[in-house]
Short mmCIF file of all heavy atoms in Angstrom, two decimals:
data_model
loop_
_atom_site.label_atom_id
_atom_site.label_comp_id
_atom_site.label_asym_id
_atom_site.label_seq_id
_atom_site.Cartn_x
_atom_site.Cartn_y
_atom_site.Cartn_z
N SER C 19 -19.87 -10.67 -6.80
CA SER C 19 -21.07 -10.71 -6.05
C SER C 19 -20.92 -9.83 -4.80
O SER C 19 -19.80 -9.46 -4.41
CB SER C 19 -21.45 -12.09 -5.62
OG SER C 19 -20.52 -12.60 -4.67
N LEU C 20 -22.07 -9.57 -4.13
CA LEU C 20 -22.00 -8.75 -2.88
C LEU C 20 -21.13 -9.40 -1.86
O LEU C 20 -20.36 -8.74 -1.13
CB LEU C 20 -23.41 -8.57 -2.29
CG LEU C 20 -24.29 -7.43 -2.88
CD1 LEU C 20 -25.63 -7.43 -2.22
CD2 LEU C 20 -23.58 -6.09 -2.65
N MET C 21 -21.17 -10.74 -1.69
CA MET C 21 -20.38 -11.39 -0.73
C MET C 21 -18.87 -11.22 -1.05
O MET C 21 -18.06 -10.90 -0.17
CB MET C 21 -20.66 -12.89 -0.66
CG MET C 21 -19.91 -13.64 0.41
SD MET C 21 -20.19 -15.40 0.39
CE MET C 21 -19.25 -15.89 -1.04
N TRP C 22 -18.52 -11.34 -2.33
CA TRP C 22 -17.16 -11.17 -2.77
C TRP C 22 -16.69 -9.72 -2.68
O TRP C 22 -15.52 -9.43 -2.45
CB TRP C 22 -16.95 -11.76 -4.16
CG TRP C 22 -16.66 -13.22 -4.11
CD1 TRP C 22 -17.48 -14.24 -4.49
CD2 TRP C 22 -15.47 -13.86 -3.62
NE1 TRP C 22 -16.88 -15.44 -4.28
CE2 TRP C 22 -15.65 -15.26 -3.73
CE3 TRP C 22 -14.32 -13.37 -3.04
CZ2 TRP C 22 -14.68 -16.17 -3.30
CZ3 TRP C 22 -13.30 -14.27 -2.64
CH2 TRP C 22 -13.53 -15.68 -2.78
N VAL C 23 -17.65 -8.83 -2.80
CA VAL C 23 -17.27 -7.37 -2.62
C VAL C 23 -16.76 -7.14 -1.21
O VAL C 23 -15.71 -6.49 -0.98
CB VAL C 23 -18.47 -6.48 -2.90
CG1 VAL C 23 -18.25 -5.08 -2.36
CG2 VAL C 23 -18.82 -6.41 -4.38
N GLY C 24 -17.42 -7.76 -0.21
CA GLY C 24 -17.00 -7.66 1.16
C GLY C 24 -15.65 -8.31 1.35
O GLY C 24 -14.76 -7.83 2.04
N ILE C 25 -15.49 -9.51 0.82
CA ILE C 25 -14.22 -10.27 1.03
C ILE C 25 -13.10 -9.57 0.36
O ILE C 25 -11.98 -9.45 0.93
CB ILE C 25 -14.37 -11.70 0.40
CG1 ILE C 25 -15.40 -12.49 1.24
CG2 ILE C 25 -13.05 -12.39 0.40
CD1 ILE C 25 -15.79 -13.84 0.68
N LEU C 26 -13.32 -9.07 -0.85
CA LEU C 26 -12.22 -8.31 -1.56
C LEU C 26 -11.95 -6.98 -0.87
O LEU C 26 -10.80 -6.51 -0.86
CB LEU C 26 -12.65 -8.12 -3.03
CG LEU C 26 -12.63 -9.34 -3.90
CD1 LEU C 26 -13.18 -9.02 -5.29
CD2 LEU C 26 -11.26 -10.00 -3.97
N GLY C 27 -12.97 -6.40 -0.34
CA GLY C 27 -12.71 -5.16 0.44
C GLY C 27 -11.86 -5.44 1.66
O GLY C 27 -10.95 -4.62 1.99
N ALA C 28 -12.02 -6.60 2.30
CA ALA C 28 -11.13 -7.00 3.44
C ALA C 28 -9.69 -7.18 2.91
O ALA C 28 -8.73 -6.80 3.61
CB ALA C 28 -11.66 -8.23 4.06
N PHE C 29 -9.58 -7.77 1.75
CA PHE C 29 -8.25 -7.99 1.20
C PHE C 29 -7.55 -6.63 0.89
O PHE C 29 -6.34 -6.46 1.24
CB PHE C 29 -8.32 -8.79 -0.09
CG PHE C 29 -7.09 -8.78 -0.91
CD1 PHE C 29 -5.94 -9.52 -0.51
CD2 PHE C 29 -6.98 -8.04 -2.12
CE1 PHE C 29 -4.80 -9.49 -1.29
CE2 PHE C 29 -5.86 -8.02 -2.89
CZ PHE C 29 -4.72 -8.76 -2.47
N ILE C 30 -8.29 -5.68 0.33
CA ILE C 30 -7.68 -4.40 0.01
C ILE C 30 -7.31 -3.71 1.29
O ILE C 30 -6.16 -3.08 1.38
CB ILE C 30 -8.69 -3.53 -0.75
CG1 ILE C 30 -9.05 -4.11 -2.13
CG2 ILE C 30 -8.20 -2.08 -0.90
CD1 ILE C 30 -7.84 -4.26 -3.03
N SER C 31 -8.10 -3.77 2.31
CA SER C 31 -7.76 -3.12 3.60
C SER C 31 -6.54 -3.80 4.23
O SER C 31 -5.67 -3.07 4.85
CB SER C 31 -8.99 -3.27 4.55
OG SER C 31 -10.04 -2.51 4.09
N ALA C 32 -6.37 -5.12 4.10
CA ALA C 32 -5.22 -5.81 4.62
C ALA C 32 -3.95 -5.32 3.88
O ALA C 32 -2.92 -5.13 4.54
CB ALA C 32 -5.39 -7.33 4.48
N MET C 33 -4.04 -5.15 2.61
CA MET C 33 -2.92 -4.64 1.86
C MET C 33 -2.51 -3.23 2.27
O MET C 33 -1.38 -2.89 2.41
CB MET C 33 -3.18 -4.68 0.34
CG MET C 33 -3.39 -6.08 -0.22
SD MET C 33 -1.91 -7.06 -0.24
CE MET C 33 -1.03 -6.34 -1.60
N GLU C 34 -3.54 -2.38 2.47
CA GLU C 34 -3.32 -1.04 2.91
C GLU C 34 -2.68 -1.02 4.30
O GLU C 34 -1.75 -0.27 4.61
CB GLU C 34 -4.64 -0.24 2.95
CG GLU C 34 -4.48 1.20 3.32
CD GLU C 34 -5.82 1.94 3.36
OE1 GLU C 34 -6.88 1.32 3.08
OE2 GLU C 34 -5.83 3.14 3.67
N ALA C 35 -3.18 -1.90 5.18
CA ALA C 35 -2.65 -2.01 6.56
C ALA C 35 -1.17 -2.46 6.53
O ALA C 35 -0.37 -1.97 7.33
CB ALA C 35 -3.48 -3.01 7.39
N ALA C 36 -0.88 -3.40 5.63
CA ALA C 36 0.52 -3.81 5.48
C ALA C 36 1.44 -2.63 5.15
O ALA C 36 2.55 -2.48 5.66
CB ALA C 36 0.65 -4.89 4.38
N GLY C 37 0.96 -1.78 4.26
CA GLY C 37 1.78 -0.58 3.93
C GLY C 37 1.92 0.32 5.11
O GLY C 37 3.04 0.84 5.35
N MET C 38 0.86 0.53 5.88
CA MET C 38 0.94 1.40 7.05
C MET C 38 1.88 0.86 8.08
O MET C 38 2.64 1.57 8.76
CB MET C 38 -0.44 1.57 7.66
CG MET C 38 -1.39 2.40 6.79
SD MET C 38 -3.08 2.44 7.41
CE MET C 38 -3.77 3.71 6.33
N ALA C 39 1.87 -0.47 8.29
CA ALA C 39 2.72 -1.14 9.24
C ALA C 39 4.20 -1.00 8.86
O ALA C 39 5.11 -1.00 9.71
CB ALA C 39 2.34 -2.60 9.43
N LEU C 40 4.45 -0.95 7.54
CA LEU C 40 5.81 -0.85 6.99
C LEU C 40 6.32 0.57 7.12
O LEU C 40 7.55 0.85 6.88
CB LEU C 40 5.88 -1.30 5.58
CG LEU C 40 5.72 -2.80 5.31
CD1 LEU C 40 5.57 -3.08 3.80
CD2 LEU C 40 6.93 -3.56 5.86
N ALA C 41 5.50 1.57 7.48
CA ALA C 41 5.89 2.94 7.39
C ALA C 41 7.04 3.25 8.31
O ALA C 41 7.99 4.02 7.94
CB ALA C 41 4.72 3.87 7.76
N ASP C 42 7.07 2.66 9.50
CA ASP C 42 8.15 2.92 10.46
C ASP C 42 9.50 2.43 9.90
O ASP C 42 10.57 3.08 9.97
CB ASP C 42 7.89 2.33 11.75
CG ASP C 42 8.96 2.60 12.83
OD1 ASP C 42 9.30 3.79 13.02
OD2 ASP C 42 9.46 1.67 13.42
N ARG C 43 9.48 1.23 9.30
CA ARG C 43 10.72 0.61 8.73
C ARG C 43 11.18 1.40 7.56
O ARG C 43 12.38 1.44 7.21
CB ARG C 43 10.46 -0.82 8.32
CG ARG C 43 10.20 -1.79 9.52
CD ARG C 43 9.93 -3.15 9.01
NE ARG C 43 9.65 -4.02 10.13
CZ ARG C 43 10.62 -4.75 10.76
NH1 ARG C 43 11.86 -4.60 10.39
NH2 ARG C 43 10.31 -5.54 11.76
N ALA C 44 10.24 2.04 6.81
CA ALA C 44 10.53 2.75 5.60
C ALA C 44 10.77 4.24 5.76
O ALA C 44 10.82 5.02 4.79
CB ALA C 44 9.49 2.53 4.54
N ARG C 45 10.88 4.68 7.01
CA ARG C 45 10.85 6.16 7.28
C ARG C 45 12.10 6.89 6.73
O ARG C 45 12.07 8.11 6.67
CB ARG C 45 10.72 6.43 8.77
CG ARG C 45 11.83 5.98 9.64
CD ARG C 45 11.46 6.21 11.13
NE ARG C 45 12.56 5.85 12.05
CZ ARG C 45 12.73 4.60 12.48
NH1 ARG C 45 12.02 3.57 12.12
NH2 ARG C 45 13.79 4.34 13.31
N TYR C 46 13.12 6.17 6.45
CA TYR C 46 14.33 6.81 5.88
C TYR C 46 14.39 6.79 4.36
O TYR C 46 15.41 7.22 3.75
CB TYR C 46 15.58 6.17 6.43
CG TYR C 46 15.67 6.29 7.97
CD1 TYR C 46 15.65 5.13 8.75
CD2 TYR C 46 15.72 7.50 8.59
CE1 TYR C 46 15.68 5.25 10.11
CE2 TYR C 46 15.76 7.69 9.95
CZ TYR C 46 15.73 6.55 10.77
OH TYR C 46 15.76 6.61 12.09
N ILE C 47 13.32 6.35 3.68
CA ILE C 47 13.32 6.40 2.22
C ILE C 47 13.37 7.81 1.75
O ILE C 47 12.59 8.69 2.25
CB ILE C 47 12.04 5.68 1.70
CG1 ILE C 47 12.06 4.16 1.99
CG2 ILE C 47 11.89 5.92 0.20
CD1 ILE C 47 10.84 3.46 1.52
N PRO C 48 14.19 8.17 0.82
CA PRO C 48 14.25 9.55 0.31
C PRO C 48 12.88 9.94 -0.28
O PRO C 48 12.16 9.11 -0.83
CB PRO C 48 15.38 9.53 -0.73
CG PRO C 48 16.19 8.35 -0.38
CD PRO C 48 15.29 7.37 0.22
N LEU C 49 12.60 11.24 -0.18
CA LEU C 49 11.31 11.71 -0.67
C LEU C 49 11.10 11.40 -2.14
O LEU C 49 10.01 10.96 -2.60
CB LEU C 49 11.24 13.21 -0.44
CG LEU C 49 9.93 13.90 -0.91
CD1 LEU C 49 8.76 13.37 -0.05
CD2 LEU C 49 10.08 15.43 -0.77
N THR C 50 12.15 11.61 -2.92
CA THR C 50 12.00 11.33 -4.42
C THR C 50 11.64 9.88 -4.66
O THR C 50 10.73 9.60 -5.47
CB THR C 50 13.31 11.64 -5.10
OG1 THR C 50 13.60 13.08 -4.94
CG2 THR C 50 13.23 11.34 -6.54
N LYS C 51 12.24 8.94 -3.97
CA LYS C 51 11.97 7.55 -4.18
C LYS C 51 10.52 7.24 -3.73
O LYS C 51 9.82 6.46 -4.36
CB LYS C 51 12.99 6.70 -3.38
CG LYS C 51 12.78 5.17 -3.66
CD LYS C 51 13.87 4.33 -2.90
CE LYS C 51 15.21 4.55 -3.61
NZ LYS C 51 16.23 3.60 -3.01
N LEU C 52 10.14 7.82 -2.60
CA LEU C 52 8.74 7.56 -2.12
C LEU C 52 7.74 8.03 -3.11
O LEU C 52 6.76 7.33 -3.41
CB LEU C 52 8.53 8.31 -0.76
CG LEU C 52 7.19 8.17 -0.16
CD1 LEU C 52 6.87 6.73 0.23
CD2 LEU C 52 7.12 9.08 1.11
N LEU C 53 7.93 9.18 -3.68
CA LEU C 53 6.98 9.77 -4.68
C LEU C 53 7.02 8.97 -5.96
O LEU C 53 5.99 8.78 -6.62
CB LEU C 53 7.30 11.20 -4.93
CG LEU C 53 6.94 12.16 -3.76
CD1 LEU C 53 7.57 13.53 -3.91
CD2 LEU C 53 5.38 12.26 -3.59
N LEU C 54 8.19 8.46 -6.33
CA LEU C 54 8.27 7.62 -7.56
C LEU C 54 7.48 6.29 -7.32
O LEU C 54 6.79 5.85 -8.25
CB LEU C 54 9.74 7.29 -7.84
CG LEU C 54 10.51 8.33 -8.65
CD1 LEU C 54 11.96 7.92 -8.76
CD2 LEU C 54 9.89 8.51 -10.03
N MET C 55 7.57 5.76 -6.10
CA MET C 55 6.78 4.57 -5.78
C MET C 55 5.27 4.87 -5.92
O MET C 55 4.49 4.06 -6.45
CB MET C 55 7.07 4.08 -4.38
CG MET C 55 8.47 3.48 -4.24
SD MET C 55 8.93 3.17 -2.53
CE MET C 55 7.69 2.01 -2.06
N MET C 56 4.88 6.07 -5.49
CA MET C 56 3.50 6.41 -5.58
C MET C 56 3.03 6.61 -7.04
O MET C 56 1.92 6.21 -7.39
CB MET C 56 3.19 7.70 -4.82
CG MET C 56 3.46 7.56 -3.33
SD MET C 56 3.37 9.13 -2.36
CE MET C 56 1.55 9.31 -2.24
N ALA C 57 3.94 7.13 -7.86
CA ALA C 57 3.66 7.32 -9.29
C ALA C 57 3.49 5.95 -9.99
O ALA C 57 2.51 5.75 -10.76
CB ALA C 57 4.76 8.10 -9.95
N VAL C 58 4.38 5.03 -9.66
CA VAL C 58 4.26 3.71 -10.28
C VAL C 58 2.98 3.02 -9.81
O VAL C 58 2.28 2.35 -10.65
CB VAL C 58 5.55 2.89 -9.90
CG1 VAL C 58 5.35 1.39 -10.36
CG2 VAL C 58 6.74 3.45 -10.57
N ALA C 59 2.74 3.06 -8.54
CA ALA C 59 1.52 2.42 -8.03
C ALA C 59 0.21 3.00 -8.65
O ALA C 59 -0.72 2.27 -8.94
CB ALA C 59 1.41 2.58 -6.50
N SER C 60 0.26 4.28 -8.95
CA SER C 60 -0.87 4.93 -9.60
C SER C 60 -1.06 4.44 -11.02
O SER C 60 -2.17 4.23 -11.50
CB SER C 60 -0.71 6.47 -9.57
OG SER C 60 -0.63 6.95 -8.24
N LEU C 61 0.08 4.23 -11.69
CA LEU C 61 -0.03 3.72 -13.08
C LEU C 61 -0.52 2.29 -13.09
O LEU C 61 -1.23 1.84 -14.01
CB LEU C 61 1.34 3.85 -13.76
CG LEU C 61 1.80 5.29 -14.01
CD1 LEU C 61 3.21 5.26 -14.67
CD2 LEU C 61 0.82 5.98 -14.98
N VAL C 62 -0.17 1.52 -12.07
CA VAL C 62 -0.69 0.15 -11.94
C VAL C 62 -2.19 0.19 -11.74
O VAL C 62 -2.91 -0.64 -12.34
CB VAL C 62 0.04 -0.54 -10.72
CG1 VAL C 62 -0.70 -1.86 -10.42
CG2 VAL C 62 1.50 -0.84 -11.05
#
């Protein structure tokens, strides 16, 4: 429903924000591993 669209949108944004907040801690991840994570997430 429209109400749940808004609620789920908030959930998606919270998940995205969690990833952004983790960026500083994950800044030493090798580029290959980072891109592999993006590939797996895309397949999900």
Side-chain angles (χ1 to χ4, degrees):
S19 69
L20 275 178
M21 184 184 74
W22 275 109
V23 166
I25 294 171
L26 291 175
F29 166 73
I30 296 299
S31 295
M33 295 292 284
E34 184 182 359
M38 291 174 171
L40 289 171
D42 182 54
R43 294 178 179 271
R45 65 185 182 275
Y46 298 116
I47 292 178
L49 180 64
T50 298
K51 183 177 290 187
L52 178 64
L53 288 166
L54 276 174
M55 290 171 61
M56 296 173 79
V58 171
S60 299
L61 292 176
V62 169

